[in-house]
Amino acid sequence: MTTKILVIEDEERIREFLKRGLSFEGYQVETAADGQTGLDLAREEPPDLVLLDLMLPGMDGLEVCRRLRAASEVPILMLTAKETIEDRVVGLDAGADDYLVKPFAFDELMARMRALLRRAQPSKPQIYRFADLELDTGTRQGRRGGHLFDLTAKEYELLELFMRHPRQVLTRDIIFDRVWDYDFGGESNIIEVYVRYLRQKTEQSGMSRLIHTVRGIGYVLRDDG
Ligand code: CA
């Protein structure tokens, strides 16, 4: 599974430098030019690590850090141009895990990131719930109405994607990108096939449909019942 890095940095030159470098290293990179956009992205698609600039327009890096920390345990590496003990203490007080002073060498950044990612606790198993459907990220099993079912790796990834984005229409492109990671081409019916498998498992003994087709677009997890 790809490691997701969220970069929150207002300076375009540095943001693009980080995006290029980290993508080249195999990370999946999302970028935001301000704190609010960064927080929104973090909520939509929880990252494995956040690179956070201290000096941001509007909401500053410390406030962003506090809000990220209030919502999750994600490792946060703060970036700043100011090299003072006070900044460091304030940054760490706000919940940052480490601190890197600009300008920094890319190799040093990589080393710090790897250390933080190693230290990060493996995410605790959780149970996604939608209507009477449950998905356990620990056992990777699903359950509906007391009936437990196993899932193959791809079935699990697809169902997890739906459970993480309930009531949201997922386009075929998004599903390809997130679950298959490469382009199957427009003619492939792989998504249809896997949706059919999931429906067989989630609609046993005449249960109502939860994974609906949105014609010409994709699919949505929705409870019409
Ligand atoms: Ca800045």
Side-chain angles (χ1 to χ4, degrees), residues 8-11 14 33 53-57 79-81 102:
I8 307 176
E9 163 69 75
D10 59 311
E11 218 174 309
I14 300 179
D53 183 31
L54 179 62
M55 302 293 281
L56 291 168
L79 307 174
T80 179
K102 296 183 202 171

